Amino acid sequence: MSLIGPLYSIKRVKKHRCMELNGEPLNYGETDEQQMIRKMVRDFAESVLVQTIEERDANQIPPSNEWQAFLELGLQGITIPEEYGGMPIDDVSEAIIVEELARVDPSFAVMYCVHVGLCSMTIALHGDDEQKSKYLPRLAAGEVGAYSLSEAGAGTDAAAMTCKAQLSDDGTHYVLNGEKMWVTNGAQAEILVLFAKDVGHPDYGVKKHGGTTAFIVEASFDGFSVGKKEDKLGIRSSDTCTLVLQNCKVPVENVLKGSGNGFPIAMNALDNSRIGIAAQALGISQGAYEAALQYSKEREAFGKPIGHHQMIMAYLADMATRIEAARQLVYKAAWTKQQHYEEDGPRHSKEASMAKLFAGDTAMWVSERAIQVLGGYGYTKEFPVERFFRDAKITQIYEGTQEVQRIVISRAISG
Ligand code: COS
């Protein structure tokens, strides 16, 4: 199977076609390039990911082999500029890729999201030339990236983190101590964007997030180790673990944007990646809905396919409608993000949070309805809907809970 072929004709798509009304995009069609990317990723998911997802889900096996196969598509560097070995594409295409991966394998989708969004894009946006030259080509070549903000006592309240960074006497490196938690790709990653508080910063202990600093950490650094692996309800093939920093030595040149400037970097990264999680939720919804639709055509009750019974028809109609509404919010948020960076447009926090809030709730609702359509079969592992149901729940929790999304939205709309 050659997955590489179509790649050569993917051009750098800076903008997708859209009409505008009062400055708002009205986009009712995908470009040829976006359709081609969707097809390429769908083919990969349906031929490669589908073969192993059940076993990986059952045994919590990370998709390492599948990642190697995925690299043939060349999509791991879409948030990395060409001069650093990347292949940038537009933000709606990025959402489409995540959606198509999640339609089959939500665990693989989040692995990809974190690599391209939270890690690569954060270094591309905030790194200096030296940092970008050192790390982006490696990420573009397929070394896995991760992002580490949360701790046992600092999830929603990110500024409450307690991991500490102390500058060495000779000023050449920081010494990091503490424990990070809920790190996606934590055990697989070679390069991580990791946050800790610089205890020597003047704002440390003065402002709540004072001293928060973003470091580029390599898994090979002294004092860095992987701790407990989480045993999760869903996205079980995604690697989630604790990281232990025990006198971990990080060179000063690995600080992004200088000491004490990490909190806005962390928040900005989340604005970007919440759109990815919204796209993941959209893919979960689509996968669950398609399974239910298919079943409704095949299963008969009272002498006709159950899809001809009005109550099932109504379920499916509501599922399709909610998914379409979520899709518009996700693509709109992706488009707004692109305007923010390319045209210096307004920040996309509100759009990202709205998309994540709505798409996460949609994934939960649709996957639950899908089980209802399949009845007893939906409750078994014979069909993928019970896995989609388990996977959907996390989209209401990570990258900011639904409660946090409401905080961000309400702050944005109240000015
Ligand atoms: N982009 C850039 N900067 C931002 C920002 C954003 N989206 N949001 C906030 N900031 C900046 C603020 O401007 C402020 O900067 P100054 O110190 O210069 O004033 C700083 O960050 C602190 O902002 P704020 O006071 O709003 O911080 P809070 O502690 O009140 O945090 C919430 C607000 C709850 C919204 C934030 O902590 C959050 O998003 N929490 C969820 C974290 C999360 O999603 N965790 C999952 C991570 S996956 S490992």
Side-chain angles (χ1 to χ4, degrees):
M1 173 186 54
S2 170
L3 296 163
I4 306 174
L7 193 63
Y8 293 117
S9 47
I10 294 177
K11 295 280 182 309
R12 189 177 171 160
V13 190
K14 291 303 281 182
K15 285 207 171 71
H16 60 279
R17 274 178 233 130
C18 65
M19 297 181 288
E20 288 202 359
L21 177 66
N22 299 330
E24 290 292 302
L26 286 174
N27 178 25
Y28 295 117
E30 289 172 12
T31 63
D32 294 346
E33 290 87 350
Q34 286 165 348
Q35 282 175 8
M36 194 178 71
I37 289 171
R38 185 186 290 285
K39 182 176 180 327
M40 182 169 70
V41 178
R42 183 171 288 204
D43 286 349
F44 172 80
E46 290 183 344
S47 59
V48 178
L49 298 178
V50 79
Q51 289 181 32
T52 51
I53 179 58
E54 280 172 28
E55 199 207 332
R56 284 186 282 115
D57 174 66
N59 300 308
Q60 298 219 101
I61 302 167
S64 305
N65 297 335
E66 292 73 13
W67 179 254
Q68 290 308 317
F70 182 72
L71 297 182
E72 288 184 34
L73 272 62
L75 297 175
Q76 70 280 4
I78 60 165
T79 52
I80 296 174
E82 274 162 322
E83 61 264 42
Y84 301 108
M87 193 195 66
I89 57 173
D90 70 288
D91 291 78
V92 173
S93 293
E94 180 179 340
I96 289 171
I97 294 169
V98 177
E99 175 189 345
E100 287 299 327
L101 293 171
R103 177 179 161 271
V104 173
D105 183 350
S107 293
F108 192 91
V110 71
M111 177 186 183
Y112 178 71
C113 257
V114 169
H115 172 84
V116 295
L118 285 173
C119 184
S120 304
M121 185 162 184
T122 302
I123 296 176
L125 282 175
H126 304 289
D128 59 30
D129 285 347
E130 212 175 298
Q131 291 165 341
K132 289 194 278 196
S133 305
K134 183 165 181 192
Y135 289 108
L136 293 181
R138 288 172 56 183
L139 290 160
E143 286 189 45
V144 177
Y147 169 97
S148 177
L149 176 69
S150 300
E151 297 176 7
T156 293
D157 189 3
M161 75 178 72
T162 59
C163 268
K164 292 185 178 52
Q166 171 96 54
L167 190 62
S168 63
D169 291 343
D170 61 4
T172 59
H173 60 269
Y174 278 92
V175 179
L176 271 55
N177 278 293
E179 229 175 81
K180 307 300 283 185
M181 205 174 173
W182 311 124
V183 188
T184 300
N185 301 346
Q188 289 171 287
E190 276 128 315
I191 299 164
L192 302 97
V193 174
L194 184 147
F195 298 84
K197 284 183 179 166
D198 176 358
V199 296
H201 189 276
D203 284 343
Y204 175 71
V206 178
K207 276 186 177 178
K208 188 169 175 198
H209 58 282
T212 303
T213 303
F215 297 91
I216 304 174
V217 174
E218 296 192 43
S220 59
F221 284 175
D222 278 352
F224 176 95
S225 60
V226 175
K228 180 180 163 231
K229 179 184 166 104
E230 302 300 338
D231 187 0
K232 307 192 298 290
L233 170 74
I235 54 162
R236 288 172 56 80
S237 171
S238 159
D239 151 32
T240 312
C241 59
T242 300
L243 299 178
V244 182
L245 304 161
Q246 218 165 14
N247 294 325
C248 176
K249 281 173 72 172
V250 181
V252 278
E253 54 269 23
N254 278 29
V255 171
L256 284 171
K257 285 253 160 126
S259 164
N261 295 319
F263 203 75
I265 294 177
M267 292 298 112
N268 169 249
L270 290 171
D271 280 349
N272 297 334
S273 71
R274 281 172 186 156
I275 301 170
I277 298 307
Q280 182 201 27
L282 176 61
I284 291 172
S285 307
Q286 184 69 29
Y289 159 73
E290 285 179 25
L293 183 64
Q294 182 67 25
Y295 185 85
S296 76
K297 292 176 181 169
E298 290 165 1
R299 169 78 176 183
E300 294 201 356
F302 303 103
K304 57 183 179 183
I306 60 167
H308 292 184
H309 290 286
Q310 281 191 345
M311 275 193 260
I312 301 294
M313 288 161 74
Y315 288 162
L316 291 164
D318 286 350
M319 289 157 88
T321 305
R322 290 195 194 201
I323 292 170
E324 202 45 43
R327 182 168 285 115
Q328 296 305 319
L329 277 177
V330 173
Y331 294 178
K332 164 84 187 291
W335 183 88
T336 312
K337 174 180 161 213
Q338 184 154 329
Q339 302 308 300
H340 172 58
Y341 291 116
E342 283 187 1
E343 317 281 343
D344 205 15
R347 212 159 81 183
H348 50 290
S349 311
K350 181 188 76 179
E351 287 76 8
S353 286
M354 283 181 168
K356 201 287 199 170
L357 175 64
F358 191 84
D361 286 353
T362 300
M364 205 61 238
W365 190 85
V366 167
S367 57
E368 188 273 337
R369 282 295 85 180
I371 292 182
Q372 196 66 22
V373 171
L374 270 77
Y377 289 106
Y379 201 63
T380 71
K381 294 195 187 300
E382 227 174 289
F383 290 87
V385 290
E386 69 83 32
R387 177 167 53 79
F388 284 126
F389 178 67
R390 287 186 285 105
D391 288 350
K393 185 60 202 169
I394 193 62
T395 68
Q396 295 181 310
I397 298 172
Y398 63 10
E399 236 85 328
T401 59
Q402 302 299 68
E403 292 75 18
V404 161
Q405 309 313 323
R406 289 184 169 92
I407 292 173
V408 173
I409 296 163
S410 66
R411 283 182 180 180
I413 59 181
S414 57

